[in-house]
Amino acid sequence: MKISLTDQNTAPVELDERIDARATRERYDLEREKRLRTDGVHQYSRLTDEFAELADDPWMPVVEREPVFDHVQFTFIGGGFAGLCAGAQLHKQGITDVRIIDGAGDFGGVWYWNRYPGAMCDTKSVVYMPLLDETGHIPTEKWVHGPELLEHAKRIGTQFDLYRKALFHTMATTVTWDEGHSRWIVETDRGDRFTTQFLGIGLGPLSVPKLPGIPGIEKFAGKSIHTARWDYSYTGGDAAGAPMEGLRDKRVGVVGTGATALQLIPEVAKYAKELFVFQRTPSTVAARNNGPLEAEAIELLSSGNGQERLLESFSVNWDGFIGQPAPGIEVEDLVNDGWTDLGRRMRAQIHSVPPEEFSMEAMMAAVGELDLMLMEERRNRIDEIVTDPKTAESLKPWYDLFCKRPGYHDEYLESFNRPNVHLVDTDGKGVSEITEAGAVVDGEEYPLDVIIYASGFEYGTGGSEYVKRAGFDLIGRDGTDLSEAWADGMETLHGMHVHGFPNMFIIQLFQGSFLGANVTQANNYAAQNLAAVVAQVLAEGNDEVEVSKEAQDAYVAMLLEFGQPFGRPDCTPGYYNDDGQPFGRSFQLNCGYPAGTVAFIKMIEQWCADKEFPELERRKSTNA
Ligand code: NDP
């Protein structure tokens, strides 16, 4: 069956009569059942205990330094794109006494740590790389590779003078509100104890690597690598793509077939003597069509404010899926990547329902038909590329497209045609055991020299889990710990302001713009918001700002009534849906602004332009 939706004109589709919707959905349920586990997210473990050395910084030695005891106006915990955008936006507002601290040895966050071969951005560079208009950088590829992203992070750090006060290889341990002095006291694992009037936190949604809970995982006598801490001293090669000569005589196992594995496997396949890919759930893999950045994009970016237009185009076109249908808001798709393509299609599908017949059920049915077609198209692509019919069959995903992060790659499926690459289909059960010699599936042991864990990161941990993931205690006014305040789920205004925690701003995805496909764009909007509030507080001559309890409660009540977490409980388990567990209040609150990203951005723009911030109480220090 050949079904193709690859035409550029996005028009609503009707279900192809060759697709048996009922049988397909029954297959989805069957596959989901195979993957359900009672331990949900607790099946995973961290890089601790016997795996602690996997978490060490492979990129830069930790250098001894004197502890710091001073005062800065703004401290941001996290040196990835959230912190960098915050630093840049504060700089634009004239606030330059800024310190960023990070456990890594430099700026870059996820791109500092994740230097596995093949790493590249997953959203088009022209919208993924923040502050292109400000820095003048023009990406080299449609989806640039890791080294260019890391360089860009450093570029922002240099341009906005963020290195001057930065503290790297430094983890906050306790951060305490100093009542009466309108400031936070920051203590770190390097013996620092400094104060800061304002505090920002941006830890990234996927910053804590996790290992699969496979029995015996600690027994393996060969080399273990997590993709977030690649070891080129073992594999040879480098992040820029030099050959991994160290793998030429190795039997390599890769556990995991998510977004990371899609990028990694084609590279490992080129060098490993034998590569065994242990698959629990296949990813969807559409064509990426990467290559040099298009001339039109270069021209647009050369104009000086081209990225602003690209970002607007991206969010309006993508938001057609996340947000409510918005007829009348049409913006030309200048980005044309997989996300905007899906967004346009979803929206066309939703708008195809006649207004007089419109209901949630009718909308879901229309989108469901499109989904069946898109998934069939992806399964067909596998048959077209993968030559061994059994391998092709095993690689086919059976779930709704957005049950997992939609994947794109130009070489992943092709890798399985190499004679040295073997797919080990665990039929939804995963690797059953790791022994001293290798991995066991269905009673068969696969001897290995190295096991690469492409097993992902902790995610969706709002509520008290956020604090566990952050790794430090945040003690607010009245001695309340953030984990106590969020014991029953994350409670904020706009995903950023928390009652009881004055002068503190969190940059993260939930309860705000929630741009699932483009985290950095969401970061930069949040950073603009944060900088506007701080500038206003200072301009008024105030010392403190804090969201009122009433405003926060009203916002949370609205989220509980209308918010939708990204995942669906009936999907195949994964990090989008709390690994298939029933959603509690805490997971429910891991949602975006219910009216969608575009509506959120417009609301915040107006909020900042008005400069009134009625939900935020401002006051002078009681010690002033
Ligand atoms: P994922 O959580 O998406 O994937 C983890 C993989 O490990 C899954 O295939 C999972 O299987 C598998 N796994 C877990 N336990 C076992 C087991 N016991 N046996 C066998 N397999 C197992 O992590 P990724 O690192 O791939 O991606 C996480 C996210 O990071 C992405 O969704 C994306 O948002 C982001 N990312 C972004 C990139 C970019 O922008 N360039 C690149 C890479 C990642 P199962 O599916 O069955 O749970």
Side-chain angles (χ1 to χ4, degrees):
M1 188 194 304
K2 292 270 179 291
I3 288 175
S4 177
L5 305 179
T6 48
D7 60 293
Q8 282 302 303
N9 297 324
T10 311
V13 296
E14 281 184 19
L15 188 62
D16 190 292
E17 59 191 19
R18 291 164 296 176
I19 296 178
D20 183 339
R22 195 163 155 190
T24 307
R25 295 211 173 280
E26 278 172 7
R27 174 85 192 262
Y28 288 5
D29 289 343
L30 199 76
E31 296 292 337
R32 175 178 180 273
E33 283 297 312
K34 286 184 194 168
R35 286 161 177 79
L36 275 178
R37 300 166 54 124
T38 49
D39 50 1
V41 291
H42 303 296
Q43 69 187 276
Y44 297 103
S45 61
R46 286 190 173 181
L47 305 183
T48 50
D49 304 327
E50 51 275 272
F51 291 103
E53 69 182 42
L54 290 195
D56 289 347
D57 184 346
W59 315 120
M60 216 172 274
V62 178
V63 178
E64 282 301 312
R65 66 165 173 81
E66 291 300 313
V68 171
F69 305 95
D70 61 0
H71 178 82
V72 285
Q73 193 164 32
F74 199 108
T75 296
F76 199 95
I77 301 176
F81 281 131
L84 290 165
C85 288
Q89 297 301 345
L90 287 163
H91 195 277
K92 285 191 198 177
Q93 295 277 4
I95 300 158
T96 55
D97 186 20
V98 174
R99 165 169 296 147
I100 295 181
I101 71 173
D102 198 294
D106 204 331
F107 291 127
V110 74
W111 300 108
Y112 178 88
W113 293 112
N114 283 268
R115 303 193 201 183
Y116 60 83
M120 67 179 110
C121 59
D122 209 17
T123 314
K124 230 167 173 185
S125 323
V126 293
V127 288
Y128 182 78
M129 297 176 89
L131 304 169
L132 290 180
D133 287 340
E134 288 83 346
T135 58
H137 178 71
I138 296 185
T140 58
E141 294 176 284
K142 293 186 235 176
W143 289 268
V144 299
H145 283 74
E148 187 167 337
L149 293 160
L150 182 56
E151 278 312 305
H152 189 58
K154 295 182 192 176
R155 179 179 298 116
I156 296 168
T158 303
Q159 179 163 334
F160 293 97
D161 193 25
L162 298 170
Y163 277 100
R164 190 166 44 94
K165 293 210 165 179
L167 296 177
F168 296 117
H169 283 143
T170 300
M171 300 285 283
T173 50
T174 309
V175 184
T176 315
W177 178 246
D178 184 2
E179 188 74 31
H181 293 96
S182 304
R183 62 188 188 182
W184 291 90
I185 303 166
V186 181
E187 293 168 272
T188 78
D189 63 353
R190 304 297 296 270
D192 309 307
R193 191 174 197 276
F194 60 89
T195 56
T196 183
Q197 185 180 1
F198 299 100
L199 177 73
I201 304 174
L203 306 169
L206 298 155
S207 57
V208 179
K210 65 186 190 200
L211 284 169
I214 305 173
I217 189 168
E218 72 291 346
K219 292 189 189 143
F220 183 54
K223 174 81 179 168
S224 299
I225 297 177
H226 191 284
T227 50
R229 302 286 186 279
W230 197 261
D231 187 350
Y232 285 106
S233 70
Y234 179 86
T235 63
D238 60 28
M244 290 187 283
E245 299 295 349
L247 295 182
R248 295 254 190 229
D249 59 348
K250 302 287 190 306
R251 288 169 64 90
V252 182
V254 172
V255 176
T257 48
T260 298
L262 297 194
Q263 299 179 343
L264 166 82
I265 283 167
E267 296 307 312
V268 175
K270 287 177 196 162
Y271 304 103
K273 183 174 159 207
E274 302 286 339
L275 169 59
F276 297 86
V277 177
F278 297 96
Q279 173 186 274
R280 190 164 70 175
T281 311
S283 280
T284 55
V285 193
R288 168 104 295 170
N289 297 322
N290 200 5
L293 189 63
E294 304 95 328
E296 297 83 354
I298 295 174
E299 196 182 330
L300 204 54
L301 286 176
S302 305
S303 72
N305 68 348
Q307 193 180 32
E308 203 179 313
R309 284 187 59 201
L310 287 155
L311 288 169
E312 186 195 7
S313 169
F314 181 86
S315 40
V316 171
N317 283 291
W318 166 236
D319 194 44
F321 158 61
I322 295 181
Q324 303 300 309
I329 307 181
E330 291 299 337
V331 169
E332 187 190 352
D333 186 356
L334 300 170
V335 177
N336 264 312
D337 77 348
W339 304 105
T340 57
D341 177 66
L342 288 172
R344 279 188 284 110
R345 286 182 194 287
M346 296 278 186
R347 199 155 43 151
Q349 202 72 5
I350 291 166
H351 293 166
S352 72
V353 180
E356 63 281 8
E357 292 171 25
F358 198 86
S359 66
M360 187 54 86
E361 291 71 34
M363 182 178 92
M364 294 307 288
V367 170
E369 290 196 355
L370 174 66
D371 199 300
L372 286 165
M373 299 275 279
L374 290 167
M375 287 302 287
E376 194 65 22
E377 185 182 42
R378 279 153 178 76
R379 289 188 287 267
N380 290 341
R381 185 166 182 266
I382 296 168
D383 284 330
E384 284 160 18
I385 294 173
V386 179
T387 49
D388 174 46
K390 185 163 172 277
T391 305
E393 213 44 46
S394 290
L395 284 167
K396 288 182 184 167
W398 295 94
Y399 45 78
D400 279 337
L401 181 60
F402 284 99
C403 282
K404 287 198 172 285
R405 185 174 171 97
Y408 298 87
H409 207 277
D410 296 330
E411 295 173 71
Y412 177 76
L413 294 172
E414 290 77 355
S415 303
F416 292 94
N417 292 335
R418 289 177 177 268
N420 63 327
V421 179
H422 318 281
L423 181 70
V424 183
D425 181 3
T426 70
D427 198 24
K429 295 185 221 38
V431 174
S432 59
E433 189 188 351
I434 303 273
T435 63
E436 212 178 309
V440 179
V441 174
D442 215 11
E444 186 178 347
E445 185 180 75
Y446 295 81
L448 300 167
D449 297 304
V450 49
I451 303 182
I452 297 164
Y453 293 102
S455 45
F457 304 85
E458 291 184 15
Y459 178 83
T461 47
S464 55
E465 292 290 309
Y466 181 88
V467 182
K468 198 172 124 205
R469 195 155 60 85
F472 59 87
D473 290 324
L474 186 70
I475 302 160
R477 211 168 25 77
D478 307 327
T480 308
D481 193 301
L482 187 63
S483 54
E484 291 165 36
W486 283 0
D488 205 14
M490 179 177 276
E491 304 208 356
T492 71
L493 175 75
H494 305 158
M496 177 180 279
H497 312 276
V498 187
H499 180 70
F501 296 81
N503 291 11
M504 196 273 292
F505 308 84
I506 299 188
I507 294 188
Q508 52 84 44
L509 293 177
F510 302 133
Q511 306 190 0
S513 60
F514 200 35
L515 272 177
N518 194 16
V519 175
T520 55
Q521 189 178 356
N523 286 345
N524 200 35
Y525 290 136
Q528 287 167 357
N529 175 354
L530 168 164
V533 172
V534 173
Q536 182 62 20
V537 172
L538 294 174
E540 290 167 352
N542 280 310
D543 302 303
E544 294 180 18
V545 57
E546 181 182 353
V547 60
S548 72
K549 176 96 172 72
E550 298 69 38
Q552 179 174 290
D553 285 351
Y555 193 74
V556 169
M558 182 272 292
L559 294 172
L560 284 170
E561 188 167 359
F562 302 110
Q564 292 288 333
F566 200 73
R568 280 187 0 223
D570 61 334
C571 271
T572 188
Y575 77 83
Y576 274 16
N577 69 347
D578 215 14
D579 272 275
Q581 302 304 301
F583 293 177
R585 183 181 191 270
S586 184
F587 199 82
Q588 191 67 36
L589 283 168
N590 293 349
C591 59
Y593 185 66
T597 303
V598 175
F600 182 77
I601 294 167
K602 289 199 179 312
M603 185 268 285
I604 292 291
E605 268 174 5
Q606 193 57 51
W607 197 64
C608 291
D610 293 346
K611 296 189 179 181
E612 287 171 11
F613 308 114
E615 299 88 344
L616 303 182
E617 295 170 344
R618 276 95 79 189
R619 50 191 173 250
K620 290 202 185 299
S621 172
T622 50
N623 237 19

